[in-house]
Amino acid sequence: MNYSSTQFVTPNSMTYEPVQQTGFWGDFTVNGFVNSPSPFILEVDGKLSNQSEDSSHGMVGILDGYDQEDSKRGEKSGLQVSRRLAQNREAARKSRIRKKAYVQQLENSKIRLLQLEQELERVKQQGQYMGEGVDASQLGYSGNPKPGIETFQVDHGHWVEEQNIQTTELRNALKSQIGEIELRILVDSCMSHYFNLFHMKTIAAKADAFYVMSGMWKTQAERFFLWIGGFRPSEILKILIPRLETLTEQQLVEAGNLKQSCHQAEDALSQGMEKLQQILSSTIAAGQLGEGNYLPQMDAAMERLEALVRVLNQADHLRRETLEQMARILTTRQAARAFLALGEYFERLRALSSLWSSNPPEPA
Amino acid sequence: MQEAIPYRRWATNQNNSSSSTSSTIYLKGPEGHDLKRIVEETPVLIFMKSGDCMGHVVKRLLQGLGVNPCVYEIDDKDEKRICVEIMGIIDGGGGRDGEGVQFPVAFIGGELFGGLDRVMATHITGELNLVLKQAGALWL
């Protein structure tokens, strides 16, 4: 058999260049076999990629058609054939690897998409309180949030997770016999965590003051207590102070002063806010209401809105100062208990919001 | 224990005399006001731009403490001029950095005290109370 002299080599032991480099699995075609003149080779290729065992038989069957005169040419083309077949096999193998990688990439994207959808669902739930329906672009809040706000929403989600972790750490630390220094470190990091939030809110307020003002980034129950884009510091003190046992006389006096100062500062800021509302209202209503052209009023109103950022910043400034002063009055252990109480308080509010979302009241 | 007039009682008084603003002196700036003299002679003085809600906050906060602040309102057109004058007064007293002054700004006892941030922070810590007493603006 003239075939027997042909070396039948496996792809592994052969050195050659792949016939065609393809960067993407989908591009792979049988056209890798560019310099093949004989159509019958292509048929064989299809069999070859699946059954390497039988390939030699197939080949023999086909090449049996050659007569003696073409033996040399047969030999040569036999070599070419076997080389092309090997190249084909290699190309097919690479194609399988690429396909596998591509499918893996698709799987990862699918998981990522699911995560994003869950995140969106969570944010939508927060927006449903406004009763605007499930319109994703509205999120229950008129006007699409400006750029920078989506970042804030994601960051705030992380902030809440970290907050819950810290609350748990405090709980465990206070149960254990943790030392003063370690407890202090924990307290300080809780404080810094709140400062981070105020910093985030400052940036978000510059991006979209109305959004921060609306509190849409908080859960429903938290929003019920909203005061200028966040929690009311005096309310927090009213909750925390009675729950701190072992306050000395001095501490009680100082805590009382803090509560009163906080209340006064809040009232001043609230009145500033009312003043801004008055000014904005009269700016918008200036001129003839009904004449239909109000561009100048819009320009003036936009300028006035800059003050809203300052009010929001000042409210966060007050929150920060109040927390700092509270920590100054208290011992490390007392401060730890205070932060634990505060953390759990907010946790409970968020839990209430979740419960509310899954059990809305019956329509009347 | 020395303390300012309790907030609630003062708020009631304010409401009763809301029509008369005699407890708070308002100045508006035509030229000819000797700012230096006003700063030196007024125990509690607030410079603010007309209609600025943050200036309103400073005013309300100080009023809530039982203080009668003098409020100097500045129109947009006068802002630069008065800013320069104030910088002159401050620098004469011993040099701050060359940046312009931000309104609202408070002077207590003839000395530059600061903006809303400082007023708010010192109020929470209790420092504001002390400074006001030292300046003779609070006498309880």
Side-chain angles (χ1 to χ4, degrees), chain A residues 257-258 260-265 267-269 271-272 275-276 279 307 310-311 314 317-318 321-322 325 328, chain B residues 1 3 5-8 51-54 56-57 60-61 64-65 103-104 116-118 120-121 123-125:
Chain A
N257 287 344
L258 177 57
Q260 190 184 47
S261 307
C262 199
H263 200 116
Q264 287 166 337
D267 281 357
L269 211 45
Q271 289 182 47
K275 180 87 177 169
L276 178 59
I279 292 171
R310 299 173 70 197
V311 177
Q314 204 54 234
H317 181 61
L318 177 60
E321 293 296 322
T322 303
Q325 180 68 4
R328 263 180 230 123
Chain B
M1 173 181 22
E3 208 176 321
I5 297 173
Y7 175 68
R8 295 236 177 271
D52 175 30
C53 58
M54 301 318 268
H56 194 77
V57 174
R60 281 288 188 228
L61 192 53
L65 292 174
F103 298 116
L116 180 53
D117 274 0
R118 179 135 200 256
M120 196 70 97
H123 173 62
I124 292 295
T125 60

Side-chain angles (χ1 to χ4, degrees), chain A residues 152-302:
Chain A
F152 173 72
Q153 283 169 338
V154 171
D155 287 346
H156 181 254
H158 296 323
W159 187 90
V160 170
E161 281 165 16
E162 179 62 31
Q163 170 85 333
N164 291 338
I165 291 171
Q166 284 186 349
T167 305
T168 307
E169 276 179 8
L170 276 170
R171 206 178 283 124
N172 295 337
L174 284 169
K175 278 193 205 139
S176 76
Q177 293 302 313
I178 189 176
E180 165 96 6
I181 299 177
E182 286 151 329
L183 198 56
R184 184 81 242 168
I185 292 174
L186 208 50
V187 165
D188 286 345
S189 74
C190 285
M191 184 77 89
S192 301
H193 197 52
Y194 279 107
F195 293 173
N196 285 347
L197 176 64
F198 303 143
H199 180 68
M200 279 162 50
K201 283 172 69 187
T202 302
I203 297 174
K206 272 201 208 85
D208 190 340
F210 278 141
Y211 178 82
V212 178
M213 193 65 205
S214 73
M216 288 309 293
W217 41 281
K218 286 178 175 274
T219 63
Q220 297 97 312
E222 290 173 293
R223 241 180 279 138
F224 182 60
F225 295 96
L226 200 69
W227 175 76
I228 310 189
F231 63 81
R232 192 183 271 270
S234 63
E235 277 304 315
I236 296 302
L237 292 174
K238 279 193 204 135
I239 292 167
L240 292 182
I241 291 173
R243 283 170 175 76
L244 290 167
E245 319 104 17
T246 72
L247 281 180
T248 67
E249 272 300 309
Q250 175 72 11
Q251 283 182 318
L252 272 170
V253 166
E254 285 176 340
N257 287 344
L258 177 57
K259 208 163 57 169
Q260 190 184 47
S261 307
C262 199
H263 200 116
Q264 287 166 337
E266 279 169 24
D267 281 357
L269 211 45
S270 293
Q271 289 182 47
M273 182 62 121
E274 275 171 30
K275 180 87 177 169
L276 178 59
Q277 283 176 333
Q278 276 172 30
I279 292 171
L280 189 62
S281 180
S282 54
T283 304
I284 290 175
Q288 295 279 10
L289 270 175
E291 63 181 6
N293 170 35
Y294 40 75
L295 280 176
Q297 286 86 338
M298 292 299 104
D299 281 336
M302 283 294 283

Side-chain angles (χ1 to χ4, degrees), chain A residues 260-261 264-265 268, chain B residues 3-14 17 22-24 43-44 46 57-70 119 123 128-129 132-133 135-140:
Chain A
Q260 190 184 47
S261 307
Q264 287 166 337
Chain B
E3 208 176 321
I5 297 173
Y7 175 68
R8 295 236 177 271
R9 245 200 299 145
W10 176 255
T12 321
N13 287 345
Q14 276 290 73
S17 61
S22 57
S23 56
T24 300
V44 182
I46 306 171
V57 174
V58 177
K59 184 182 67 174
R60 281 288 188 228
L61 192 53
L62 290 168
Q63 282 172 344
L65 292 174
V67 159
N68 295 325
C70 178
V119 171
H123 173 62
L128 182 60
N129 235 305
L132 286 170
K133 280 194 190 134
L138 276 178
W139 45 85
L140 275 186

